[in-house]
Amino acid sequence: MFKLFRPVLYVCGILACVMAGLLLIPALYSWWVNDNELEAFFLASACVAVCGILMLAPGYTAPFSLNARQLYLLTSLSWLQLSFYSALPLVLVDHPLSFSDAVFEAVSGITTTGSTVLSQLNTLPPSILLWRSMLQWIGGFGVIGMAVSILPFLRVGGMRLFQTESSDWSDKSLPQFHDMARGLMAVYLGMTTLCALAYWLAGMNGFDAINHAMTTVSTGGYATDDSSMGRFNYGILWISTVFMLLGGMPFTLFIRFLTTRRLDMLKDQQVTAFLTIVLFLVAILTLQQVLAGNSDVLGVLTHTAFNIVSVITTTGFASQDYTQWGMFAVAMFFFVTFMGGCSGSTSGGMKIFRFQLSWLFLRDQMNKLVHPRGMFTVRYNGKAVSDDIMGSAVAFSFLFFLVLTFTTLALALTGLDFVTAFTGAATALANVGPGLGDMIGPAGNFAAVPESGKWILCFAMILGRLELLTVMVLLTPVFWKG
């Protein structure tokens, strides 16, 4: 058993030391603005560094390679440990959160969900607001890195559809895996910088621009004020809409375009479907609002596009309380909650490609009913879809709704009403942020959820962020018997 855990703990130790270094950034900012939180962040950094050193102490000198079982462990344990490390400063600050609230806020941040238990954000120390935004930015990069490197190997993620396994990069886009990682970081950092600059030029102050850029590109949704993005002008809302859309697309496509300088590298069946769905939903809801009597067409279009994109990319920003737009809008936002963006992006949800595969699978079955002896091949992006990819998509969809059912029941046992329990479970598994209802809707937060409910939601957020199967396989006897 130690042989199984030793290399995993070694990598976790490295990640802990990196996190300890990152905690020094808000510590330095706290010292710069003198908001009295320097000690909390410095102490948290020291504690995390000690944990990292203890995990590194046994060492690991053998050629470094991890098998599938170790990758499953590493993926789950790394996100779990980073969630607890991230919660430390929130417990140690001058106005500390309870342990449950701190873990909930940290898990929501690192998984880029965006649900929060905090209110009166504009009165919080700036270093805490910066740390929340950094958590989502770190989590967003971790998501795309995991999507294109680990999950394809584990036959979980959808990136295997798009030929972005590490073996494929050697002769198609970039020569080595390290180049791919550097490419991802360059695109992610560059996009964040452009977003911050655009926000600043459109009227945000520097602090808000940096924080909102990190939480926009990561499709996380943490804001620096309780009104979220509702306090900003239309220009800022459109900038946010564009960068949320970019954050919801496969980052590997951007790398391929920058590498080859060919526009055809941006062509992708998943992206086409994603943008088509967004345009259709925005048009339908805008038309419905105008026909309902709202004469401010530009305002309706702006808020509709912003909030639709925010929910479908699982960002969770809000410019208005869209639950007040009528039951048609509420129903639409509810179903959009499950969709998510593209595989290989920072967004959560079930991902567009799984809906596409389900449709292709359904069409294939219909063809076979009409022509029982016919030979049909399901093709995606011009390539035949293998049975294991199709099986993985079906397994994920079944598991998603099974876990949604049990999570809803568990939340209902804590005393929450059905709407809050159901939409809370859905928004946690899909990593969206706001649910529906007065308590956890876009105008509320999760502070009133019972402590037991917050722990259930934490588990659901991690499950959703890691594509369910990555964590669930650890709970099976066959994994530990191998």
Side-chain angles (χ1 to χ4, degrees), residues 174-411:
L174 297 174
Q176 296 179 356
F177 173 79
H178 296 294
D179 288 335
M180 182 187 71
R182 284 196 293 267
L184 287 174
M185 174 56 81
V187 170
Y188 193 59
L189 182 60
M191 196 179 296
T192 306
T193 303
L194 287 175
C195 184
L197 181 61
Y199 277 150
W200 180 69
L201 291 174
M204 278 192 186
N205 62 50
F207 182 76
D208 280 344
I210 293 172
N211 279 270
H212 287 92
M214 287 192 287
T215 59
T216 300
V217 175
S218 66
T219 61
Y222 274 161
T224 58
D225 191 274
D226 288 351
S227 57
S228 188
M229 297 290 280
R231 62 194 175 104
F232 297 115
N233 59 50
Y234 287 176
I236 289 176
L237 294 183
W238 280 110
I239 291 170
S240 183
T241 300
V242 170
F243 279 96
M244 284 190 291
L245 278 174
L246 292 175
M249 297 181 191
F251 276 62
T252 52
L253 292 183
F254 304 141
I255 299 176
R256 288 179 174 180
F257 171 72
L258 293 175
T259 304
T260 62
R261 304 293 181 179
R262 290 166 48 193
L263 287 174
D264 61 327
M265 288 290 101
L266 296 175
K267 292 176 61 178
D268 183 87
Q269 192 170 336
Q270 183 182 204
V271 172
T272 301
F274 174 59
L275 295 178
T276 301
I277 290 171
V278 168
L279 289 173
F280 175 76
L281 293 175
V282 170
I284 289 294
L285 190 54
T286 299
L287 181 61
Q288 187 267 335
Q289 292 293 301
V290 171
L291 293 178
N294 195 327
S295 58
D296 182 11
V297 178
L298 177 60
V300 170
L301 178 62
T302 300
H303 289 293
T304 298
F306 177 85
N307 287 282
I308 284 289
V309 170
S310 177
V311 174
I312 199 171
T313 60
T314 70
T315 306
F317 281 142
S319 62
Q320 289 184 348
D321 184 0
Y322 47 75
T323 61
Q324 304 300 314
W325 294 359
M327 293 311 299
F328 176 79
V330 171
M332 179 177 288
F333 278 107
F334 172 74
F335 290 113
V336 169
T337 296
F338 294 98
M339 288 186 181
C342 302
S343 181
S345 70
T346 60
S347 64
M350 296 183 69
K351 304 293 194 304
I352 294 296
F353 83 93
R354 289 194 174 95
F355 290 95
Q356 291 177 291
L357 287 185
S358 298
W359 167 251
L360 293 173
F361 180 73
L362 177 62
R363 190 177 67 182
D364 182 61
Q365 293 302 304
M366 293 296 182
N367 289 335
K368 289 179 179 178
L369 287 176
V370 178
H371 305 285
R373 297 183 181 180
M375 299 294 293
F376 303 97
T377 302
V378 176
R379 305 186 71 83
Y380 193 92
N381 272 338
K383 299 181 179 68
V385 179
S386 62
D387 290 339
D388 64 329
I389 291 178
M390 192 68 74
S392 177
V394 172
F396 176 90
S397 301
F398 171 76
L399 186 58
F400 184 93
F401 288 106
L402 184 65
V403 173
L404 175 63
T405 300
F406 282 105
T407 305
T408 301
L409 293 173
L411 289 172

Side-chain angles (χ1 to χ4, degrees), residues 3-319:
K3 183 179 179 181
L4 174 67
F5 276 97
R6 186 176 178 180
V8 173
L9 290 177
Y10 185 79
V11 177
C12 286
I14 295 174
L15 292 175
C17 291
V18 172
M19 179 61 78
L22 291 171
L23 276 163
L24 293 177
I25 296 176
L28 290 173
Y29 187 72
S30 176
W31 170 78
W32 178 262
V33 299
N34 193 27
D35 66 0
N36 300 318
E37 303 299 348
L38 170 63
E39 184 178 347
F41 283 104
F42 189 79
L43 182 58
S45 176
C47 292
V48 175
V50 169
C51 292
I53 292 170
L54 289 175
M55 285 186 284
L56 289 172
Y60 194 76
T61 57
F64 204 87
S65 61
L66 299 174
N67 58 37
R69 294 173 70 225
Q70 290 168 329
L71 279 173
Y72 278 118
L73 272 175
L74 174 61
T75 304
S76 300
L77 289 180
S78 60
W79 284 78
L80 192 62
Q81 69 158 355
L82 292 180
S83 297
F84 282 101
Y85 295 155
S86 304
L88 275 179
L90 301 179
V91 177
L92 298 173
V93 293
D94 282 345
H95 303 286
L97 296 176
S98 68
F99 183 66
S100 297
D101 283 350
V103 172
F104 180 90
E105 195 77 11
V107 171
S108 179
I110 204 76
T111 59
T112 71
T113 302
S115 303
T116 184
V117 295
L118 297 175
S119 58
Q120 298 181 325
L121 296 175
N122 59 314
T123 65
L124 293 178
S127 58
I128 295 177
L129 296 177
L130 177 63
W131 179 238
R132 293 169 77 245
S133 301
M134 284 181 59
L135 280 181
Q136 295 203 321
W137 195 80
I138 294 165
F141 181 72
V143 168
I144 55 177
M146 179 183 65
V148 302
S149 58
I150 296 178
L151 295 185
F153 175 77
L154 298 178
R155 298 176 181 270
V156 173
M159 289 309 294
R160 295 182 66 237
L161 282 172
F162 315 115
Q163 296 297 311
T164 55
E165 299 95 324
S166 58
S167 61
D168 184 70
W169 285 85
S170 60
D171 55 3
K172 294 292 180 64
S173 296
L174 297 174
Q176 296 179 356
F177 173 79
H178 296 294
D179 288 335
M180 182 187 71
R182 284 196 293 267
L184 287 174
M185 174 56 81
V187 170
Y188 193 59
L189 182 60
M191 196 179 296
T192 306
T193 303
L194 287 175
C195 184
L197 181 61
Y199 277 150
W200 180 69
L201 291 174
M204 278 192 186
N205 62 50
F207 182 76
D208 280 344
I210 293 172
N211 279 270
H212 287 92
M214 287 192 287
T215 59
T216 300
V217 175
S218 66
T219 61
Y222 274 161
T224 58
D225 191 274
D226 288 351
S227 57
S228 188
M229 297 290 280
R231 62 194 175 104
F232 297 115
N233 59 50
Y234 287 176
I236 289 176
L237 294 183
W238 280 110
I239 291 170
S240 183
T241 300
V242 170
F243 279 96
M244 284 190 291
L245 278 174
L246 292 175
M249 297 181 191
F251 276 62
T252 52
L253 292 183
F254 304 141
I255 299 176
R256 288 179 174 180
F257 171 72
L258 293 175
T259 304
T260 62
R261 304 293 181 179
R262 290 166 48 193
L263 287 174
D264 61 327
M265 288 290 101
L266 296 175
K267 292 176 61 178
D268 183 87
Q269 192 170 336
Q270 183 182 204
V271 172
T272 301
F274 174 59
L275 295 178
T276 301
I277 290 171
V278 168
L279 289 173
F280 175 76
L281 293 175
V282 170
I284 289 294
L285 190 54
T286 299
L287 181 61
Q288 187 267 335
Q289 292 293 301
V290 171
L291 293 178
N294 195 327
S295 58
D296 182 11
V297 178
L298 177 60
V300 170
L301 178 62
T302 300
H303 289 293
T304 298
F306 177 85
N307 287 282
I308 284 289
V309 170
S310 177
V311 174
I312 199 171
T313 60
T314 70
T315 306
F317 281 142
S319 62

Side-chain angles (χ1 to χ4, degrees), residues 404-481:
L404 175 63
T405 300
F406 282 105
T407 305
T408 301
L409 293 173
L411 289 172
L413 283 175
T414 67
L416 296 176
D417 63 272
F418 175 74
V419 172
T420 302
F422 183 54
T423 61
T427 194
L429 285 172
N431 302 121
V432 175
L436 296 177
D438 295 333
M439 182 187 297
I440 63 171
N445 64 28
F446 287 71
V449 175
E451 284 202 359
S452 57
K454 290 170 185 171
W455 284 102
I456 293 169
L457 289 171
C458 285
F459 183 62
M461 285 187 281
I462 293 176
L463 275 178
R465 186 73 282 173
L466 300 186
E467 302 270 339
L468 293 175
L469 292 167
T470 310
V471 179
M472 297 301 290
V473 71
L474 300 181
L475 306 179
T476 60
V478 68
F479 177 85
W480 300 101
K481 290 178 181 178

